[in-house]
Amino acid sequence: MHRKEEYFDIVIIGAGLAGLLVARYLNYFGIKSALVDRKKIQNSSKDPRTTALNFRSRDFLDKIGIWQELQSFAAAINDILILNNNSDTKLHFPHGNVSDEPMGHIVNNYDFYAALIKDLDKLENVTIFSEQEYQDIKFFNESAYVQLPQRLLRCKLLIACDGKFSKVRERLGVEIFSHDYQQNALVF
């Protein structure tokens, strides 16, 4: 079977929050990218988690045209209180001491995903390969080659955004290191 080769500056594997953010950011700068995901990239997410965004993240999202979509769903972070269960010491940051603006925002991941996916197919520098699981990855002559079922993608940079249990990371032998800081966070 003849497999069509296509060139992209960057190939992103994984269309979760990280992959979608990278694709939108690259599009903002006119960088041609391919967004590949083994699942259907659709307008809904069942992710019950939330994401905390500091004010710089909000500025970034505004720059790439996402914040306006998220703003009505975002809950303001007005105070941060840090406690150490081994000490009576407390550290309190009321937002009024820093700025009139909130210190950040909390956004439900399903709202965040919906904002990132909206009009994704209209981005001129992003090509979407939905329901396309990569079959192989090879490197040759300063290029990465990502084999999909019907085509071969060539790029100068491959970005793995396929999650905590990344098959790309595992396939390429990239080690991970972790440390449990035994910390918890509550946001009110």
Side-chain angles (χ1 to χ4, degrees):
M1 178 186 306
H2 176 70
R3 297 190 194 265
K4 182 180 174 187
E5 180 180 308
E6 294 181 56
Y7 177 79
F8 296 91
D9 297 314
I10 298 174
V11 172
I12 306 155
I13 296 182
L17 293 178
L20 290 167
L21 275 167
V22 170
R24 286 196 168 268
Y25 184 70
L26 295 173
N27 183 73
Y28 176 81
F29 286 103
I31 298 170
K32 186 178 175 187
S33 68
L35 181 61
V36 178
D37 200 281
R38 64 183 175 83
K39 295 180 183 176
K40 183 174 183 175
I41 301 171
Q42 55 192 2
N43 287 332
S44 66
S45 167
K46 297 176 181 164
D47 188 345
R49 298 172 298 172
T50 59
T51 297
L53 304 167
N54 65 26
F55 68 95
R56 292 285 183 223
S57 297
R58 184 195 65 204
D59 292 346
F60 166 77
L61 293 172
D62 192 38
K63 182 177 186 177
I64 64 170
I66 298 300
W67 181 246
Q68 192 166 0
E69 288 290 322
L70 277 179
Q71 193 169 5
S72 63
F73 301 109
I77 299 173
N78 292 316
D79 291 273
I80 297 176
L81 179 62
I82 300 172
L83 306 171
N84 183 341
N85 65 356
N86 297 326
S87 167
D88 292 333
T89 305
K90 297 178 190 175
L91 191 55
H92 182 221
F93 296 100
H95 84 279
N97 291 353
V98 178
S99 167
D100 291 334
E101 294 285 320
M103 298 174 90
H105 292 84
I106 300 291
V107 179
N108 288 317
N109 282 1
Y110 51 82
D111 292 325
F112 200 177
Y113 186 87
L116 289 168
I117 203 91
K118 185 177 181 185
D119 298 328
L120 183 66
D121 58 339
K122 294 184 175 94
L123 299 179
E124 65 183 73
N125 296 302
V126 178
T127 303
I128 301 165
F129 295 95
S130 185
E131 297 180 284
Q132 297 284 313
E133 188 163 12
Y134 78 89
Q135 296 175 331
D136 197 12
I137 298 172
K138 294 190 186 298
F139 298 92
F140 182 72
N141 283 346
E142 298 183 15
S143 289
Y145 293 85
V146 179
Q147 182 67 63
L148 300 181
Q150 299 299 318
R151 50 180 44 102
L152 180 65
L153 308 181
R154 182 173 63 91
C155 61
K156 288 291 181 189
L157 179 65
L158 173 65
I159 300 177
C161 295
D162 58 333
K164 180 179 179 179
F165 302 107
S166 172
K167 290 185 179 190
V168 175
R169 177 190 52 75
E170 185 178 295
R171 163 78 174 80
L172 298 177
V174 177
E175 293 183 43
I176 60 169
F177 303 93
S178 65
H179 178 75
D180 184 356
Y181 288 95
Q182 299 181 1
Q183 295 177 339
N184 295 301
L186 298 174
V187 179
F188 299 95

